[in-house]
Structures are given as structure tokens and as C-alpha cells.
Amino acid sequence: MILTVTLNTALDITYRVRSLRPHASHRVSEVTERPGGKGVNVARVLAALGHEVTVTGFTGGATGRVVRELLAAVPGVVDALVPVSGATRRTIAVADEQTGDTTQLNEPGPMVTPGEWSAFQEAYGDLLRSASAVALCGSLPPGVPVGAYAGLVRTARAAGVPVLLDTSGEALRRGVAARPDIIKPNADELAELTGSHEPLRATQDARRRGAAAVVASLGPEGLLAATREGRWRATPPTAVRGNPTGAGDSAVAGLLSALVEHLPWPDRLARATALSAATVTAPVAGEFDRGVYEELLGRVTVSGEVSAA
């Protein structure tokens, strides 16, 4: 079983409009609701790839009930969310059909009490006993300590479970010092962590800060990885247009699924890159176009060098 952690779960609401214009009223052509948050998106993609996956994190209020109802309908995903007294947040995506661009509005999430945080940590430790890998994903809701991910990384390492961390800001800075097996920042998050805007230098610096492997998302330019085994660049064969929301989450799913399947790094990166691109062509986060994925997988270019470093 692969475990995904989404401390700040969400109800993802996507509105499709013909053309998004400031200071104007819009007629919505389609509304989609999905259980969301980065780790939930990762879980849906993992399940679609055929892996057993369990979702944990926080959920509460009327919105939280909707999230759980929708999650129950996702084949292959087990709900192990921990209840809180506050209300689960909503995220609003407005997709412009004319330009293909998406505007995102993210609520902050519920206030988590110390008792709720303690209950989650106990549940997390229990779930790790049957996990083959764990992904720690997304923002921290109010009330959760900024060093939360660092503690969760250390707990996973003590249990012998490989851990991937995908967050940003101070949570990433503290988390990487706990020595996760993989971190997956985007270019901006990596620059914020290291102070370097040169991706190759930044990935190497992030490794020195504690991560065993760093896989940086470079948007349509693919992925850049620095690992103990070597350094690689994975590039999709062509640029794709669509909604990029969730593309990074699909990359995480690709990396985790390939890790538990014991694939070598070039194959992990090819899968993650193809999944990420195939998600851009899907209508909502947490889904991917399987035809696009299968077509791109064999055409992703992975170049680099093997190293003992």
C-alpha cells in the first residue's frame, strides 16, 4: 500500500467559462467537483495506475463530508482521513476555454487544534506499518506546526518507509533537513529553498541540505533530477496545452509508483514526465489522459550521467 498525506485537503471546484475577463460577469458552461489537495490528486493517479493507495490527512465540516462522499466513489482509494472540528477548505479553478489558461483561488483551510494534530500523528504511525512508500504533500492548515513535515519524515524513516516530500516555503526548508528520500519542488520552490535560480546548481544544493534525491519540475520543459545514482534531465517530446493544475501531483505519482516497482531512475523520470504532460490535457487535477500518457511515455527523452555521488 502507498500512503499519501494531505494535511490540507480540499473540495476542488472547477468552473469552465468561454473567456475570463476581469470586472465582468461570466456564464459558467460546466462545473466539476472533486476531492482535492495535492496528496489526494496523487492518490487518484496512483489508483488509476493500479496501485493500492490510502489517503490520510484532515477533513471536517459540511465540505469535508462532501470530500469523503466523493472519495468513496474513487476506485482503489481507501479513506483514512482524520476528522477535525473546522471546515475543510475549497479551491476554485476557473478554466478559460478560449486561452486554455486557469485561474486558481485557494482557501487557507481549517484551524487544527493540538489534540487533533496529536490524533493525526498517532493514526499516521499506525498506517506506516503497512505502507511501502509515503508522499507528504501540500500546504499546512492553520494550527499545524511549521516543522510538521520534518517530524513526519523522521517518523517514516524510523519505520523504514521511503518518503517523498512535496511542499514549499519554510515547511520544505525544515522538512528537507529531516532527510527525505525524495523532494519534488517546482523551479520557484527550489529557488526559494536554495537561493539559486540555476536549476542544476539548485538541485545539487538541495541535496546537500539533506534530501537523498531532488526532482525539480520545470513546467513544460520536464524534470531535472539529482540523486545518489546520478543526474538526469527528462524532456517531453512536445509541448501540450491545457490545465496545468495537478501536473506536479501526477509527477509525484509517477515517481512513487516507479519507486515501489523498483524501476531505475531514468524510467522513473520518463513515467513522471509523461504523466505530468498527460494531466495537462485532462479537464481536472488528479486525472490524466491515458492515451496521451501511453503515447508520450516511449518518446520522453532522458539524458544524463550515472555517478557514485
Side-chain angles (χ1 to χ4, degrees):
M1 177 268 286
I2 299 176
L3 177 65
T4 72
V5 175
T6 311
L7 296 178
N8 211 2
T9 54
L11 178 63
D12 286 346
I13 303 169
T14 301
Y15 295 134
R16 300 188 68 84
V17 299
R18 181 171 182 180
S19 177
L20 181 62
R21 292 164 290 126
H23 316 299
S25 297
H26 297 79
R27 188 175 297 278
V28 176
S29 61
E30 182 182 357
V31 181
T32 305
E33 290 187 343
R34 292 287 189 276
K38 293 178 71 64
V40 175
N41 294 337
V42 171
R44 282 208 301 271
V45 175
L46 285 168
L49 292 171
H51 288 271
E52 295 181 3
V53 58
T54 296
V55 170
T56 191
F58 294 115
T59 185
T63 305
R65 287 193 292 273
V66 174
V67 166
R68 301 192 87 155
E69 290 169 3
L70 294 172
L71 197 59
V74 180
V77 175
V78 175
D79 175 359
L81 293 166
V82 175
V84 294
S85 56
T88 296
R89 67 189 178 127
R90 297 162 298 179
T91 66
I92 310 296
V94 183
D96 186 319
E97 296 174 347
Q98 193 170 73
T99 65
D101 294 332
T102 301
T103 299
Q104 192 85 12
L105 303 173
N106 297 327
E107 296 180 357
M111 176 63 69
V112 176
T113 68
E116 291 165 344
W117 174 235
S118 295
F120 170 80
Q121 291 178 88
E122 183 176 351
Y124 172 72
D126 290 341
L127 289 166
L128 284 175
R129 295 193 182 102
S130 55
S132 56
V134 58
L136 308 174
C137 302
S139 61
L140 300 176
V144 172
V146 71
Y149 282 136
L152 298 182
V153 168
R154 286 191 287 267
T155 302
R157 287 177 54 83
V161 178
V163 56
L164 184 153
L165 177 62
D166 183 15
T167 188
S168 60
E170 188 62 22
L172 175 59
R173 189 179 307 279
R174 297 198 186 194
V176 74
R179 308 185 69 81
D181 294 272
I182 307 171
I183 64 170
K184 196 221 65 64
N186 61 33
D188 291 339
E189 293 162 350
L190 186 62
E192 183 182 8
L193 173 66
T194 65
S196 174
H197 290 272
E198 200 291 302
L200 180 58
R201 178 180 298 174
T203 55
Q204 293 169 329
D205 181 65
R207 278 205 65 213
R208 286 191 290 269
R209 291 169 183 258
V214 180
V215 181
S217 295
L218 305 180
E221 297 178 10
L223 300 173
L224 179 66
T227 77
R228 292 191 184 102
E229 292 84 0
R231 297 187 297 270
W232 289 275
R233 177 75 173 266
T235 308
T238 184
V240 294
R241 289 186 59 82
N243 180 2
T245 306
D249 304 330
S250 290
V252 169
L255 292 170
L256 269 185
S257 62
L259 182 153
V260 300
E261 293 170 28
H262 307 291
L263 298 183
W265 269 107
D267 291 343
R268 297 185 198 184
L269 297 170
R271 178 181 292 184
T273 301
L275 277 172
S276 181
T279 296
V280 174
T281 64
V284 293
E287 296 182 1
F288 65 96
D289 187 310
R290 187 171 292 274
V292 172
Y293 164 64
E294 293 174 351
E295 193 273 331
L296 290 178
L297 182 59
R299 299 173 57 210
V300 173
T301 300
V302 182
S303 57
E305 58 183 11
V306 176
S307 170

